[in-house]
């Protein structure tokens, strides 16, 4: 993860706190977007697969990758 991606993720989490009604895309949708070399940010902007939108939000791919990494680090009994 690059410093720019980390900044975008921090900003995206602030956006999640300030906005309701968002939902992560299902894995199939994410794959369809990736097949076209793009992804959406949580505010619906089209971005590169691991890109950042013009509002500074990270793509869903980055957000979900980060969540998966956090899950992988969590001990099974936590
Ligand atoms: Zn945007």
């Amino acid at each position: 993860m690059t410093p720019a991606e980390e900044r975008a993720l921090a900003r995206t989490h602030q956006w999640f706190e300030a906005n309701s009604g968002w939902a992560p895309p299902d894995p199939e949708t994410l794959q369809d977007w990736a097949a076209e070399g793009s992804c959406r940010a949580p505010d619906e902007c089209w971005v590169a697969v691991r890109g950042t939108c013009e509002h500074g939000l990270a793509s869903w791919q980055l957000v979900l990758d980060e969540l998966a990494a956090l899950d992988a680090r969590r001990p099974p009994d936590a």
Side-chain angles (χ1 to χ4, degrees):
M1 181 124 353
T2 69
E5 288 172 350
E6 281 176 16
R7 276 197 301 278
L9 284 167
R11 199 175 170 118
T12 304
H13 286 288
Q14 285 172 358
W15 187 92
F16 284 151
E17 284 170 24
N19 293 270
S20 56
W22 51 270
D26 57 48
E28 253 177 41
T29 304
L30 209 57
Q31 273 175 18
D32 285 350
W33 294 342
E36 295 173 22
S38 58
C39 193
R40 276 189 194 269
D43 66 349
E44 307 279 296
C45 291
W46 282 108
V47 293
V49 175
R50 300 179 64 80
T52 301
C53 86
E54 61 184 357
H55 310 104
L57 301 187
S59 71
W60 274 117
Q61 187 66 61
L62 284 175
V63 173
L64 296 174
D65 282 356
E66 184 198 33
L67 289 179
L70 289 176
D71 274 351
R73 278 207 297 272
R74 190 173 299 151
D77 60 346

